[in-house]
Amino acid sequence: MDGESSLRERLIDVGVDLVASEGSASLGLREIARRAGVSHGAPRRYFPTHHSLLSAIARRGFETLGARFTAAIADMSSPRAQLQAAAGVYVGYALECRGMFELMFRHDLLGSDKYASGGGSRLREATLPLFDHIVDLVARCRAEREVAHPGGPGAAGSPPPVTAAALWSNLHGIAQLWTWGSLQLALDAEPPGGAPHGDQLDRLVKAVLDAHLGPVNA
């Protein structure tokens, strides 16, 4: 890696560490430059705007989440088991890495062409491989269920992308409501700060899959 690329990556690395330790509100351009050991104007050589740097940092979050998905499903052959594992990873990541997760889904970063730094693609395009993977798993679950129960409930349900989007929305909502403590209050569960993969969360994730894909043994 040449010096220019190395400095660009160091700025992103510093941002990733900063958001992990202090949250997304801490990602000031001057603070990132200071921690990277460069002048406050140096990041402009690689990132035309503050938002373009934030977008690059958020991309790292999607890369990490994708790697966790891959690791979680590596030894699973059933699409339903893979989907449940991926769903658990998504909620767990949201609770473990709150600052990064918040940054990854900032609308002002996701929705604009101008934050694609270095000629790269828009941040929202980083979400597509993960979403496409969920769509594929939903389609495979449907096909597997149809073989086991021809013409059964859900056989003529919404197209896989619609079901995947609804499932994703539910998982995102679980993570957000758990972070706020709302679900714990409703379910009389432990307050925020408990284990991300506790029994209550596991049951909630399973309930989401059952709602959209049908119970496993039905």
Side-chain angles (χ1 to χ4, degrees):
M1 184 180 292
D2 61 38
E4 293 294 300
S5 297
S6 177
L7 178 53
R8 183 183 187 279
E9 292 304 304
R10 185 160 87 249
L11 290 166
I12 299 172
D13 289 342
V14 167
V16 170
D17 290 343
L18 191 57
V19 75
S21 61
E22 300 185 26
S24 61
S26 67
L27 293 173
L29 194 62
R30 286 177 177 270
E31 181 62 14
I32 292 174
R34 186 186 71 79
R35 294 196 182 204
V38 298
S39 70
H40 70 265
R44 300 290 187 185
R45 298 206 301 268
Y46 315 99
F47 304 100
T49 66
H50 182 205
H51 279 66
S52 64
L53 175 54
L54 296 182
S55 181
I57 295 168
R59 275 185 161 279
R60 287 282 189 86
F62 282 109
E63 291 168 4
T64 299
L65 181 57
R68 291 191 183 192
F69 275 9
T70 299
I73 69 176
D75 298 324
M76 298 177 180
S77 58
S78 161
R80 181 61 176 260
Q82 290 182 9
L83 189 54
Q84 182 149 344
V89 164
Y90 186 85
V91 174
Y93 182 83
L95 299 181
E96 177 190 342
C97 307
R98 293 181 185 179
M100 178 62 83
F101 195 76
E102 176 183 313
L103 187 69
M104 287 160 62
F105 291 99
R106 270 182 52 172
H107 294 295
D108 58 334
L109 300 183
L110 285 168
S112 179
D113 296 348
K114 64 184 177 182
Y115 301 138
S117 62
S121 58
R122 294 168 295 183
L123 175 61
R124 66 181 178 187
E125 291 169 356
T127 69
L128 296 180
L130 299 179
F131 180 67
D132 288 344
H133 194 181
I134 299 302
V135 172
D136 177 64
L137 287 174
V138 167
R140 289 168 56 198
C141 286
R142 286 262 185 86
E144 188 177 72
R145 187 176 180 83
E146 177 61 16
V147 169
H149 307 284
S158 300
V162 174
T163 298
L167 196 156
W168 177 18
S169 299
N170 279 182
L171 295 173
H172 201 92
I174 286 173
Q176 190 63 71
L177 291 170
W178 192 270
T179 296
W180 291 337
S182 302
L183 282 176
Q184 295 92 318
L185 180 63
L187 298 173
D188 194 25
E190 294 179 5
H197 294 288
D199 289 344
Q200 287 280 14
L201 281 172
D202 289 342
R203 285 197 289 270
L204 285 168
V205 168
K206 181 180 183 300
V208 168
L209 268 63
D210 287 350
H212 291 290
L213 299 171
V216 173
N217 297 320

